[in-house]
Amino acid sequence: MARVSATEAAYAPFLQELRELCPPGTSILDAHTHLGADEDGQRLEPDELLRALDVVSPEARACAFPFHDPQRSPAYRLPNDRVLDWASESDRIIPYCRLDPAEDPVEEAERCLARGARGIKLHPRAQAFTFDSPEMEAIFATARAAQVPILIHAGRGMAPMDALADIALRYPEVPLVLAHAAIAGQGMFAERLAEHPAVVYDTSCFSPFDVVELFARVPAERIVFASDVPYGRPANGLFMAMRAAAYAGLDDDERALVAGGTMESILDGGPLPETRPPRLDAARAGNGRLLRVVPYLSMAFGAVLGGGDTIDYARAAPFVAMARTVPRDPAQGAAGPALERIDAALQAAEQMLAEGGPQARAALGLVHGAAVIAATEPVTY
């Protein structure tokens, strides 16, 4: 019998729950992944992407596109060709082309679409562009003609994105994937694009509260699982999406839409699922003992990622230790079982942080999982 590592043992309860939230036969499709290399030092090869997806399911698939590649000029041609070549070798990788509006975007889009690209990726922060330009009109017109989606960075680092809502409303035929739970303007998009027939919100962000709030702002049938791998991990991202969906009251079939069914419909050019009103109320009950955990775990992530160019996972340890003070409450009440799960995960994370090396990065996944439990545990009295 193969020996189970401490990391595998720590993750096992999360994966077990994930299997229960994604019943057999659920088609899993990660809407947001990268391949190649980035200027920030991140890299991901196709075999690594597939191994990360395997943790979720050996049949799981992913939409993939280039990073902000150091070899992107001209027009992202070389990175786009790499992704298209890698996708031709695996039916689990669905290729998108990445465009720079300043460098022949229509010509590059048409070239890649002819080679089999199934969508377009735009990153307004990395490429420093706005949405009120003739180039943007041309890109949306190209996507409309080809009947492919456009995925757009709508996360950190963005100025107000009202101009994107303007152009989306001018091109309602173009499926639009707003990345990172659209946190750069979640409320604005939810209001202004409420009648857009084909806008969806991907769940690739850190905060489980942002994902939960999606279920209070937009129809569940317009929310799609995404991980942003390698910045996130498919297993962690799907755990958060499924826990939030269950918290919002979605049944098995509805969770299957979030896990991959809705995104499959977009890629296949078929009708999107019929929508119902958002499932959650704006004001929701919470358990104070559980909610105390989340700020400390958010600070743990901030300490790791906010220390300049050098990532030091050990900086998370003091905040993980603070979060572990909450489960020591002798009057846990209804939160007791969830706090026990959280403490077990954080105890393993502390040990992994102390060991350092690859284990330290894996510890952050446990930290994130603990935050997801705290934010999405049903309230009981």
Side-chain angles (χ1 to χ4, degrees):
M1 174 182 271
R3 184 173 180 271
V4 176
S5 71
T7 302
E8 291 170 326
Y11 273 95
F14 295 98
L15 296 177
Q16 177 59 38
E17 183 178 0
L18 189 53
R19 284 189 287 270
E20 295 167 359
L21 291 169
C22 295
T26 299
S27 180
I28 298 170
L29 176 54
D30 191 331
H32 186 145
T33 73
H34 308 80
L35 283 173
D38 195 282
E39 282 189 346
D40 66 7
Q42 289 283 357
R43 301 183 62 88
L44 194 70
E45 298 296 322
D47 59 334
E48 295 173 295
L49 171 59
L50 295 177
R51 284 199 299 271
L53 292 170
D54 284 343
V55 177
V56 172
S57 165
E59 288 83 37
R61 297 180 296 152
C63 300
F65 35 79
F67 287 97
H68 189 48
D69 197 298
Q71 296 179 308
R72 62 187 175 272
S73 187
Y76 274 98
R77 287 174 196 156
L78 180 57
N80 281 333
D81 279 339
R82 288 186 185 126
V83 171
L84 290 164
D85 288 342
W86 288 326
S88 71
E89 299 170 0
S90 173
D91 59 5
R92 296 173 64 192
I93 298 175
I94 300 166
Y96 283 26
C97 60
R98 183 162 175 163
L99 304 179
D100 185 340
E103 295 188 353
D104 302 318
V106 171
E107 178 183 340
E108 178 62 9
E110 291 176 342
R111 185 186 74 84
C112 292
L113 291 166
R115 284 204 57 197
R118 303 277 300 279
I120 292 169
K121 163 68 184 291
L122 297 174
H123 201 304
R125 177 171 58 83
Q127 264 67 67
F129 65 83
T130 60
F131 290 94
D132 52 358
S133 67
E135 292 81 12
M136 205 55 51
E137 295 281 346
I139 291 169
F140 269 76
T142 300
R144 179 175 61 188
Q147 297 182 308
V148 297
I150 302 178
L151 183 148
I152 297 177
H153 173 85
R156 67 179 181 86
M158 293 303 304
M161 299 187 75
D162 299 74
L164 173 55
D166 293 339
I167 194 168
L169 291 170
R170 293 198 295 274
Y171 291 87
E173 309 89 348
V174 177
L176 184 64
V177 182
L178 294 173
H180 312 306
I183 59 174
Q186 189 183 91
M188 179 274 293
F189 286 122
E191 293 298 311
R192 294 199 57 200
L193 300 183
E195 302 303 319
H196 192 290
V199 62
V200 298
Y201 299 76
D202 91 29
T203 62
S204 63
C205 64
F206 164 73
S207 172
F209 290 122
D210 285 325
V211 176
V212 167
E213 183 65 7
L214 275 179
F215 287 94
R217 298 308 302 262
V218 303
E221 298 82 7
R222 295 297 180 265
I223 300 172
V224 298
F225 151 62
S227 70
D228 198 23
V229 66
Y231 302 98
R233 287 291 184 270
N236 290 92
L238 188 58
F239 181 75
M240 176 168 64
M242 292 295 96
R243 283 277 306 200
Y247 177 83
L250 274 63
D251 62 23
D252 287 357
D253 291 339
E254 293 168 327
R255 292 198 303 274
L257 292 177
V258 176
T262 296
M263 200 64 219
E264 282 185 339
S265 296
I266 289 175
L267 292 168
D268 293 341
L272 287 170
E274 186 176 346
T275 61
R276 291 170 51 194
R279 303 297 206 273
L280 291 176
D281 294 329
R284 301 180 290 276
N287 185 297
R289 290 166 177 78
L290 288 171
L291 294 179
R292 284 190 60 218
V293 172
V294 181
Y296 296 123
L297 300 185
S298 297
M299 287 187 279
F301 266 83
V304 171
L305 301 177
D309 295 334
T310 303
I311 291 180
D312 181 0
Y313 295 101
R315 288 196 292 257
F319 302 102
V320 173
M322 281 301 304
R324 291 196 67 201
T325 66
V326 180
R328 294 201 288 270
D329 188 330
Q332 295 178 349
L339 286 171
E340 288 178 10
R341 289 188 64 193
I342 287 167
D343 193 51
L346 295 181
Q347 180 181 20
E350 279 191 322
Q351 294 170 348
M352 293 157 66
L353 288 168
E355 292 174 13
Q359 293 283 85
R361 173 162 184 169
L364 283 192
L366 296 174
V367 170
H368 186 253
V372 169
I373 292 172
T376 59
E377 189 69 10
V379 175
T380 57
Y381 301 94

